[in-house]
């Protein structure tokens, strides 16, 4: 499976839309795209995961690295559109407590 990455920049806001699967095969492409963007001073990045059906630990590693990079430059990272499965992945790893994540449907039942 491939991953589709779209980046739109508005002033100091980066909107990233992802589609596909984030795994050991696609994570390097995601890393190559997001890391240079994360190194900007005070960048605010919003990543839309609405069309991501699967993510493994490699994908989590990319987001942890991007999160650390952005925070070290006084920026902010927000992940939106997470499926229940992806939210559970972030919860299990404890990342949901330190990262700003929102589900596809905020009123969604467990």
């Amino acid at each position: 499976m491939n991953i589709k990455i779209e980046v739109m920049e508005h002033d100091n806001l980066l909107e990233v839309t992802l589609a596909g699967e984030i795994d050991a095969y696609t994570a390097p492409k995601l890393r190559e795209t997001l890391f240079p963007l994360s190194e900007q001073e005070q960048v605010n990045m919003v990543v839309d995961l609405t069309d991501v059906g699967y993510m493994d630990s490699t994908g989590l590693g990319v987001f942890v690295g991007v999160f650390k990079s952005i925070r070290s430059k006084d920026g902010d990272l927000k992940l939106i559109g997470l499926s229940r499965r992806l939210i559970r992945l972030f919860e299990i790893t404890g990342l949901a407590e330190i990262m700003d994540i929102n589900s596809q449907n905020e009123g969604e039942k467990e």
Side-chain angles (χ1 to χ4, degrees), residues 11-62:
D11 299 319
N12 207 28
L13 175 65
L14 288 172
E15 295 179 7
V16 181
T17 304
L18 304 177
E21 295 183 354
I22 305 173
D23 56 23
Y25 298 104
T26 60
K29 180 179 178 184
L30 182 60
R31 183 179 292 113
E32 289 170 12
T33 302
L34 296 185
F35 266 88
L37 300 173
S38 73
E39 295 174 340
Q40 300 176 32
E41 290 292 328
Q42 298 179 330
V43 69
N44 291 309
M45 184 183 295
V46 176
V47 181
D48 186 345
L49 300 168
T50 300
D51 294 323
V52 172
Y54 174 81
M55 183 185 321
D56 68 10
S57 60
T58 314
L60 281 176
V62 171

Side-chain angles (χ1 to χ4, degrees), residues 66-80:
V66 168
F67 175 75
K68 287 180 178 180
S69 178
I70 287 175
R71 293 305 277 268
S72 73
K73 305 276 189 193
D74 296 321
D76 192 40
L77 173 66
K78 182 174 188 171
L79 305 179
I80 63 170

